[in-house]
Amino acid sequence: MENKTISRIGVLTSGGDAPGMNAAIRAVVRTCKYYNLESYGIYRGYEGMILNDIRKLETKDVAYILERGGTFLKSARSAEFRTTEGRKKAFDNLQKHNINALVVIGGDGSLTGAHLFFEEFGIPAVGLPGTIDNDLSGTDSTIGFDTACNTAIQAIDKIRDTASSHDRLFFVEVMGRDAGFIAINAGIGSGAAATLIPEKKMPVETLIERLKSRAKAKKQSNIVIVAEGGKSGGAMEISEKVRKILPGYDIKVTILGHLQRGGSPSSFDRLLASKLGVAAVEGLIQGKYDVMAGIINNKVVYTPIKRAIVDDKSVDEDDFRVAKILST
């Protein structure tokens, strides 16, 4: 498709929130201002697009949000946008505001929506990888992933204090329904006894042997990290299996849950989100449509959305090997 003249850019956040989304929104608005373009905030994601909850944004509207977690544009999942009729409503509302390009910040579902919208109505769109799961290809890290890892490790450090004080075995469940990036990073960073991720199945017998080995080595505490979607089951399920085999262990379970989504974004996530926000607007100006902006080897790259959401991105085998070595 030939390049269009971009004059008004709509920006939205969709799906699960991630620390750094506000930094990305801020970067989009300020970059629009730099290039004499108008920016519009679409509140509550695609649902807000359907409901015409769209407002013009000025630079003052994005002041003092760099350090805030979550997204001031709010986020929501929209069942109606999954229908052709819903997307037509959304398109008509964009037309009312003369919005002729989009920046969509979110995970694979959000970027899929941007791709469909471009295919059906020709609205140029650039997606930004805003998800703590780090499961989109086309970028080394997604917005929010670093902060989520830091939050998980800080929580695990506190849990270790009580685990050591009482010789307890803790199972800590982190987010990562389909990808074990948070779990493996938290496992290495916190010195976990074992890390269970969706990409690998660890038989309970293997885990038992590892725990017995650590007991012989007189390890003061044992913390097992479990990704919520692990092939071996969730933290509660695994803890019950271990309890039956090792009834003498004082076993506790902590599920970190949405704690990992919140909090002020790390310096890394602020920088990543800011760079990608600029890249999104500049990409649209340059005629890069239906792509996701990411950073690989410290360079901005544009990957077709279809490839970014379809290509498998899983935990590096070397990371898993390192975690195993360091858990002995």
Side-chain angles (χ1 to χ4, degrees):
M1 184 173 288
E2 64 181 51
N3 295 357
K4 295 184 176 183
T5 301
I6 303 297
S7 57
R8 292 187 174 188
I9 297 177
V11 57
L12 64 94
T13 51
S14 175
D17 62 301
M21 281 183 163
N22 280 326
I25 298 165
R26 173 182 178 271
V28 169
V29 173
R30 294 179 74 91
T31 307
C32 283
K33 179 72 173 178
Y34 181 83
Y35 286 106
N36 295 314
L37 306 175
E38 293 184 8
S39 56
Y40 283 75
I42 301 168
Y43 288 74
R44 294 176 178 80
Y46 292 118
E47 190 68 11
M49 199 184 292
I50 291 171
L51 298 173
N52 197 27
D53 194 358
I54 301 170
R55 306 169 216 171
K56 187 175 182 180
L57 294 177
E58 305 289 353
T59 52
K60 63 181 176 60
D61 296 314
V62 293
Y64 310 113
I65 67 169
L66 189 64
E67 68 278 10
R68 285 168 50 189
T71 162
F72 90 94
L73 287 180
K74 307 294 184 185
S75 185
R77 302 187 192 277
S78 176
E80 191 174 0
F81 192 81
R82 296 176 185 272
T83 68
T84 305
E85 296 78 14
R87 292 193 292 273
K88 180 62 168 64
K89 278 187 195 175
F91 173 72
D92 290 342
N93 286 330
L94 293 186
Q95 294 290 94
K96 290 175 187 176
H97 296 276
N98 294 316
I99 293 170
N100 49 23
L102 290 173
V103 175
V104 176
I105 309 166
D108 55 358
S110 305
L111 300 194
T112 298
H115 171 67
L116 284 173
F117 215 52
F118 177 73
E119 281 196 326
E120 293 173 357
F121 303 105
I123 295 290
V126 171
L128 295 187
T131 168
I132 66 170
D133 291 336
N134 199 37
D135 58 351
L136 290 169
S137 63
T139 188
D140 288 336
S141 185
T142 56
I143 296 167
F145 171 64
D146 184 69
T147 307
C149 288
N150 288 340
T151 299
I153 288 173
Q154 288 164 9
I156 294 164
D157 285 347
K158 291 178 172 62
I159 290 168
R160 185 177 296 283
D161 290 343
T162 187
S164 300
S165 298
H166 297 275
D167 289 328
R168 284 172 173 158
L169 167 59
F170 266 90
F171 286 86
V172 181
E173 185 174 290
V174 299
M175 281 186 160
R177 186 171 60 253
D178 301 308
F181 291 98
I182 293 176
I184 204 74
N185 277 264
I188 293 172
S190 66
T195 305
L196 283 64
I197 60 175
E199 294 86 345
K200 297 271 188 180
K201 182 170 183 178
M202 180 184 289
V204 68
E205 294 78 14
T206 302
L207 176 58
I208 295 295
E209 287 306 310
R210 187 171 298 183
L211 293 172
K212 286 180 177 178
S213 175
R214 287 175 63 88
K216 287 180 183 177
K218 300 190 183 305
K219 299 287 185 179
Q220 288 189 327
S221 66
N222 281 308
I223 293 179
V224 177
I225 309 298
V226 183
E228 62 184 346
K231 290 183 178 179
S232 305
M236 292 296 293
E237 181 183 346
I238 296 168
S239 69
E240 287 305 315
K241 290 179 181 177
V242 172
R243 197 188 307 275
K244 289 177 182 177
I245 301 172
L246 300 174
Y249 275 64
D250 184 5
I251 297 175
K252 302 294 181 184
V253 176
T254 299
I255 298 174
L256 297 184
H258 284 73
L259 176 73
Q260 295 154 92
R261 287 200 186 278
S264 181
S266 66
S267 60
F268 179 88
D269 274 329
R270 296 184 198 194
L271 182 61
L272 175 66
S274 297
K275 284 183 175 181
L276 292 182
V278 173
V281 175
E282 291 184 337
L284 288 169
I285 293 171
Q286 295 162 14
K288 294 178 170 66
Y289 307 154
D290 197 26
V291 296
M292 185 194 81
I295 292 183
I296 297 178
N297 295 327
N298 292 320
K299 299 292 183 184
V300 171
V301 296
Y302 297 92
T303 302
I305 286 178
K306 204 167 181 181
R307 196 167 76 204
I309 61 180
V310 170
D311 284 0
D312 287 335
K313 181 182 179 183
S314 56
V315 170
D316 193 305
E317 284 287 336
D318 202 49
D319 285 346
F320 192 76
R321 183 181 64 85
V322 168
K324 184 177 180 181
I325 291 171
L326 296 180
S327 68
T328 57

